[in-house]
Amino acid sequence: MTIALYIFAAASLAVSAMKSREKTILALKKAWKAFENILPQFFSILIIIGIMLATFTPRQISGLLGQESGFTGLLIAAMIGSITLIPGFVAFPLAAALLQSGAGYMQIAAFVSTLMMVGIVTLPLEIGYFGKKAAIARNAAAFFFSLALALVMGVAM
Amino acid sequence: MKPQIRNQLKRYRFFLMLAAVNLAILAFFPETGRKSVTITGSNLLEMLSVIPPIFILLGLLDVWVKRETMIKYMGEGSGIIGVLLAFFIGSAAAGPLYAAFPVAIALLRKGSKLSNVFIMLGAWSTTKIPLVLFEASALGLKFMLLRLGMNILGIAVIAYFTEQVLSKEEKELICQKASLS
């Protein structure tokens, strides 16, 4: 998918350059400015994730999320998912490994869902773009939706 | 110190603090410290690999797509087309959710409806096509399909809720801020 994105961006850039050099240069300048704007937050987020993932091991996490952990385990899973920020291609194998080492489906669904939809670490960044109210409302709604989703998954799987 | 440099230092203040914390961990708990540096490094590479095309496309969108066009397809009165387009943009994207925020702002600046922008954010966070495929292979087709079905509904509900929470003034403020950036 990333490769497709590169091809698409390169093709768009080529078409743009053929139509107007000035506009293309302006577009690249704008691209750089938008990127440079969020660079400090990006770097900070990366370090926070690094420290967190280095501190907690998958075995520690799956100990908390066993099938018998019930509602407490569900809440813990949702909170871990909300705080941590793990790229999807790491998260799904991790979730599969946690399931194999004894975690429950309900807890894993809550973890996966909050991981992707709720972002506590990135909240300051989100507030910067959308304001406090919108950012908190979106994250809170996503959190409760994830709990509901997990309950359904726990029954259905 | 030149004001320009001082300004940059201020922007990177929090990052420098965290880097110092990481160095301290490295000094006192070498094993944890090394691990965290490795993880940060690989995440940085991942981020740098997906971000350039996203921002180039953003720049091109900014320069070439007319405001009227965006309003027509994603603005007020764009109806189901706007919703589907928002779903598609979010699902076809790559990169973490925080890479979606600048995209959201660019759409807003060009005149997209706020609720459509929230739908794009929702899709970006959880129905990205490559991730969905990967989820099926790691956790099984049933797990993936169940979650996808609920997510499509959930994204719409979350977008609707987020928009309802905001007053008219607050929505205008967000759009105003977007047009300034």
Side-chain angles (χ1 to χ4, degrees), chain B residues 145-178:
Chain B
L145 284 176
L146 261 173
R147 223 171 66 80
L148 182 64
M150 277 188 276
N151 273 332
I152 291 173
L153 196 74
I155 288 166
V157 171
I158 292 169
Y160 180 77
F161 170 80
T162 312
E163 210 194 354
Q164 286 302 306
V165 165
L166 300 171
S167 67
K168 214 173 152 227
E169 292 78 35
E170 284 162 331
K171 281 189 225 169
E172 272 163 18
L173 202 71
I174 295 174
C175 296
Q176 230 171 30
K177 234 174 114 187

Side-chain angles (χ1 to χ4, degrees), chain A residues 6-125:
Chain A
Y6 266 93
I7 294 170
F8 183 53
S12 309
L13 205 59
V15 172
S16 169
M18 274 190 281
K19 284 200 162 173
S20 157
R21 246 178 79 96
E22 296 81 58
K23 274 193 163 184
T24 307
I25 290 169
L26 185 66
L28 286 176
K29 274 188 185 156
K30 285 191 175 210
W32 171 252
K33 214 187 122 206
F35 175 62
E36 210 276 328
N37 244 334
I38 47 167
L39 217 47
Q41 285 102 324
F42 262 137
F43 283 152
S44 307
I45 290 167
L46 286 175
I47 293 193
I48 294 174
I49 302 166
I51 293 176
M52 264 180 338
L53 288 185
T55 316
F56 299 103
T57 62
R59 209 179 317 142
Q60 280 173 314
I61 301 174
S62 73
L64 290 170
L65 308 180
Q67 242 147 6
E68 277 74 54
S69 62
F71 199 68
T72 322
L74 174 69
L75 281 182
I76 294 173
M79 272 188 276
I80 296 176
S82 303
I83 297 168
T84 47
L85 238 175
I86 309 171
F89 70 91
V90 180
F92 288 130
L94 174 66
L98 291 176
L99 275 175
Q100 256 164 17
S101 55
Y105 268 107
M106 184 171 76
Q107 289 80 4
I108 289 304
F111 170 68
V112 168
S113 184
T114 50
L115 187 65
M116 306 183 99
M117 298 181 119
V118 186
I120 302 280
V121 180
T122 49
L123 198 58
L125 190 67

Side-chain angles (χ1 to χ4, degrees), chain B residues 40-173:
Chain B
T40 304
S42 70
N43 279 340
L44 179 71
L45 282 184
E46 198 229 340
M47 173 194 119
L48 290 179
S49 71
V50 294
I51 270 177
I54 295 176
F55 278 80
I56 286 173
L57 286 172
L58 264 186
L60 290 173
L61 172 100
D62 219 19
V63 172
W64 287 108
V65 178
K66 284 201 203 80
R67 218 182 125 74
E68 298 78 53
T69 318
M70 181 65 90
I71 291 174
K72 187 177 159 205
Y73 289 109
M74 290 186 80
E76 298 294 333
S78 61
I80 189 74
I81 302 270
V83 173
L84 291 178
L85 210 55
F87 251 112
F88 175 76
I89 294 174
S91 301
L97 181 59
Y98 50 89
F101 299 149
V103 178
I105 293 304
L107 292 180
L108 269 181
R109 183 166 57 222
K110 287 283 172 180
S112 167
K113 219 166 111 178
L114 193 57
S115 65
N116 283 342
V117 167
F118 286 135
I119 286 175
M120 188 280 287
L121 276 182
W124 190 305
S125 72
T126 198
T127 59
K128 278 198 296 267
I129 296 157
L131 268 189
V132 166
L133 297 177
F134 194 59
E135 179 177 354
S137 74
L139 296 170
L141 194 63
K142 190 181 170 195
F143 189 96
M144 180 277 267
L145 284 176
L146 261 173
R147 223 171 66 80
L148 182 64
M150 277 188 276
N151 273 332
I152 291 173
L153 196 74
I155 288 166
V157 171
I158 292 169
Y160 180 77
F161 170 80
T162 312
E163 210 194 354
Q164 286 302 306
V165 165
L166 300 171
S167 67
K168 214 173 152 227
E169 292 78 35
E170 284 162 331
K171 281 189 225 169
E172 272 163 18
L173 202 71

